[in-house]
Amino acid sequence: EVGLFALLVIVTRYVSVGSIAAAAICPFLSLYFYWGDWVGVVCCTLAALTVIWAHRSNISRLLSGTESRVGSKKEKAS
């Protein structure tokens, strides 16, 4: 997960893309690591859905092309 996050942040320069992708892969990794422990899988899936839900404004900005990139200068308010 951390590797995917880091790779996507480096490639896209969007922290939110890395965070959302890491959350999206979490349920699949939990199926592998917690096979047979359905409570663990459900908890990981709920946590992942919560993270994705929390990033809904970032998703909107990504789709509209207004999300800030790592290293970009912030515009000063007038």
Side-chain angles (χ1 to χ4, degrees):
E1 260 182 63
V2 174
L4 176 66
F5 170 82
L7 177 67
L8 287 175
V9 171
I10 290 167
V11 170
T12 66
R13 291 183 36 220
Y14 290 119
V15 173
S16 56
V17 169
S19 299
I20 294 164
I25 200 169
C26 188
F28 301 102
L29 291 175
S30 70
L31 280 171
Y32 177 78
F33 288 109
Y34 299 118
W35 186 258
D37 178 11
W38 298 108
V39 173
V41 171
V42 169
C43 287
C44 287
T45 302
L46 290 174
L49 291 172
T50 301
V51 169
I52 294 168
W53 176 256
H55 280 83
R56 63 191 181 279
S57 61
N58 298 80
I59 294 168
S60 295
R61 287 193 299 272
L62 284 165
L63 293 173
S64 68
T66 58
E67 179 75 352
S68 299
R69 291 181 183 256
V70 172
S72 63
K73 304 242 184 212
K74 291 188 178 181
E75 294 183 21
K76 293 183 180 179
S78 300

